[in-house]
Amino acid sequence: MNNTLKKIEEKVNNNQRLSLEDGVTLFNSPDLLTIGCLANIVRERKNGDKAYFISNRHINHTNICVNRCRFCAFSKDSGEDGAYTMSVEDVLSSAGEYSRGVSEFHIVGGLHPDLPFQYYLDMLNSLKNKYPHIHIQGFTAVEIEYLARIASLSIKDTLLKLRDAGLGSIPGGGAEVFAERVRKKICPEKISGEEWLNVHKTAHQIGMRSNATMLYGHIETVEERVDHLIKLRELQDETGGFMSFIPLAFHPKNTELDSISKTTGNLDLRILAIARLMLDNFPHIKAFWIMVGPKLAQISLSFGVDDIDGTVVEEKITHSAGAETEQSLTKNELVRMIKEAGRIPIERDTLYNNLN
Ligand code: V47
Ligand code: SF4
């Protein structure tokens, strides 16, 4: 092990919190195996040999979005070729396809200029009516803030109404990188990092759990990545409401940022491992296999990761941006990947209850 990592190793062994400087050191170190090894210590301390997956179904109800972030290949303008919006009935029938054994619907979409708040309440109510036992994780903080604006409600009242209609928890999307410099360049219309954090804080205050993400591999600096992780850690200290952190590898194809190269395996593994080390108060680190590929997701189970997400069924956001992964894996495939990595597969529900 090189000397610069010695101090960090000592902190990890003594269960001490890593600083911003430590995070930067980890990103700049060539010694990926040591970083993975340290992350594995924390992973096993928190989750033993368990590796989680979920049977879920993603539903993207509309791709029409007023924000048009520069890294997004999924969104369209209203009336543009390929733009779509599902009616509540469409959402219901899409939920019905391949939904046997599913414990979660994961619903995210664009910021639609015309759909009323009632559409979202109707969607949740009808899903809950038909599938009362399936947890609905839906609407990123960006969507929640938009819904609050169109409904002229506070964030808290918006969340309470969505929860009354059937919303169970909030996914981690829309966080990107909190630094204003980055947001100005890649998603100038999006809510600020502070606003994203405030939506999650409000959700946690009413007892709703959520996830967090970071979109990496575009124009962000190492310091901006570590700053993002530390802001999440600070909010988690305050509320304890986050369940998992999911780094999202930027897919450049069909986006305005297509001159940027795809992320590499080294960076993908490094981010997952560093997240495990920095986010000492997050119970779970998730490798979304759709984004990093099933092979790397499997290896990441020895680099800090304890969750490889789910069966998914149909994925539009990353596949619009050139992802070459399948859109779905069976439960058996997920179990085999986990067992071959020497871990114990646990099928979980959204809130990490064991469904085995
Ligand atoms: O918010 C958009 C990102 C997110 C691209 O909470 C892109 O469990 C890569 O948040 N390349 C949506 N990423 C997906 C998401 C998510 C996925 C899986 C699990 C969970 C969870 C959350 O995808 C967006 C945005 O940050 N995104 N475009 C792209 N070209
Ligand atoms: Fe809209 Fe989300 Fe795509 Fe941004 S990332 S354009 S907010 S769908």
Side-chain angles (χ1 to χ4, degrees):
M1 181 186 310
N2 76 33
N3 263 342
T4 47
L5 294 186
K6 267 266 166 253
K7 254 179 39 204
I8 295 178
E9 185 196 15
E10 253 173 59
K11 282 193 181 177
V12 171
N13 285 332
N14 296 325
N15 223 342
Q16 280 170 347
R17 181 157 276 196
L18 301 188
S19 64
L20 187 128
E21 292 71 38
D22 294 329
V24 171
T25 302
L26 288 165
F27 272 111
N28 291 333
S29 161
D31 194 352
L32 179 65
L33 282 183
T34 298
I35 297 169
C37 205
L38 295 176
N40 194 48
I41 294 173
V42 179
R43 181 239 193 268
E44 291 185 354
R45 198 183 281 151
K46 284 188 182 288
N47 291 294
D49 265 337
K50 292 183 193 139
Y52 294 93
F53 69 96
I54 185 167
S55 287
N56 62 354
R57 197 193 193 305
H58 281 226
I59 300 171
N60 305 121
H61 49 282
T62 181
N63 64 352
I64 298 176
C65 186
V66 297
N67 265 10
R68 303 308 309 269
C69 303
R70 296 188 64 212
F71 58 78
C72 179
F74 165 72
S75 62
K76 302 266 183 209
D77 287 333
S78 203
E80 192 181 336
D81 240 18
Y84 74 87
T85 302
M86 293 160 88
S87 64
V88 170
E89 292 68 40
D90 293 339
V91 171
L92 270 184
S93 62
S94 162
E97 290 164 21
Y98 312 104
S99 62
R100 243 191 50 216
V102 158
S103 67
E104 173 191 276
F105 293 132
H106 182 113
I107 304 176
V108 294
L111 311 183
H112 195 285
D114 311 313
L115 286 172
F117 186 46
Q118 194 59 41
Y119 163 86
Y120 301 89
L121 301 178
D122 290 346
M123 183 202 295
L124 293 168
N125 270 315
S126 15
L127 280 170
K128 257 301 168 232
N129 248 329
K130 192 150 180 206
Y131 304 100
H133 54 289
I134 300 188
H135 181 106
I136 304 174
Q137 177 166 84
F139 312 126
T140 66
V142 176
E143 292 172 273
I144 305 276
E145 193 276 343
Y146 185 70
L147 295 186
R149 262 191 285 152
I150 59 175
S152 303
L153 291 170
S154 66
I155 300 289
K156 182 175 172 193
D157 287 343
T158 306
L159 285 167
L160 288 171
K161 281 195 189 294
L162 292 168
R163 182 164 71 182
D164 280 350
L167 186 68
S169 61
I170 302 182
E176 323 317 351
V177 170
F178 293 140
E180 205 185 325
R181 181 195 77 84
V182 175
R183 290 181 107 73
K184 264 195 189 142
K185 291 199 168 130
I186 68 168
C187 50
E189 306 299 328
K190 197 162 250 170
I191 56 171
S192 67
E194 290 77 47
E195 286 168 309
W196 187 97
L197 288 161
N198 182 47
V199 171
H200 283 261
K201 182 176 176 172
T202 311
H204 299 169
Q205 282 166 345
I206 64 160
M208 195 183 261
R209 309 297 299 274
S210 71
N211 293 332
T213 59
M214 173 171 73
L215 181 72
Y216 67 91
H218 42 90
I219 60 157
E220 83 285 3
T221 63
V222 160
E223 285 76 10
E224 285 162 343
R225 284 180 198 148
V226 183
D227 169 72
H228 185 96
L229 296 175
I230 288 179
K231 288 205 162 75
L232 289 174
R233 188 169 77 182
E234 283 168 358
L235 179 55
Q236 181 74 335
D237 274 342
E238 220 179 305
T239 66
F242 287 118
M243 299 179 286
S244 69
F245 174 73
I246 311 115
L248 301 173
F250 174 51
H251 284 59
K253 206 167 160 191
N254 305 324
T255 76
E256 282 181 44
L257 304 176
D258 62 357
S259 58
I260 297 175
S261 302
K262 285 200 276 195
T263 65
T264 62
N266 184 299
L267 181 62
D268 293 338
L269 278 178
R270 184 178 291 267
I271 298 254
L272 288 160
I274 295 175
R276 182 59 291 168
L277 290 166
M278 294 300 297
L279 297 177
D280 51 19
N281 52 8
F282 271 61
H284 305 285
I285 302 293
K286 175 151 88 182
F288 188 36
W289 66 263
I290 290 269
M291 295 255 178
V292 292
K295 292 188 179 186
L296 192 127
Q298 185 193 36
I299 301 296
S300 73
L301 292 170
S302 305
F303 280 73
V305 167
D306 64 281
D307 186 346
I308 53 174
D309 201 70
T311 47
V312 180
V313 183
E314 190 183 27
E315 202 278 338
K316 294 202 178 81
I317 298 175
T318 333
H319 283 85
S320 310
E324 284 158 12
T325 50
E326 303 291 320
Q327 300 214 9
S328 151
L329 283 176
T330 63
K331 250 189 223 188
N332 285 344
E333 285 167 322
L334 292 167
V335 165
R336 174 168 164 242
M337 276 163 67
I338 292 172
K339 280 191 175 159
E340 268 188 17
R343 303 296 193 189
I344 303 163
I346 309 277
E347 180 172 355
R348 63 167 177 92
D349 65 10
T350 310
L351 304 175
Y352 285 83
N353 296 304
N354 184 337
L355 298 182
N356 280 356

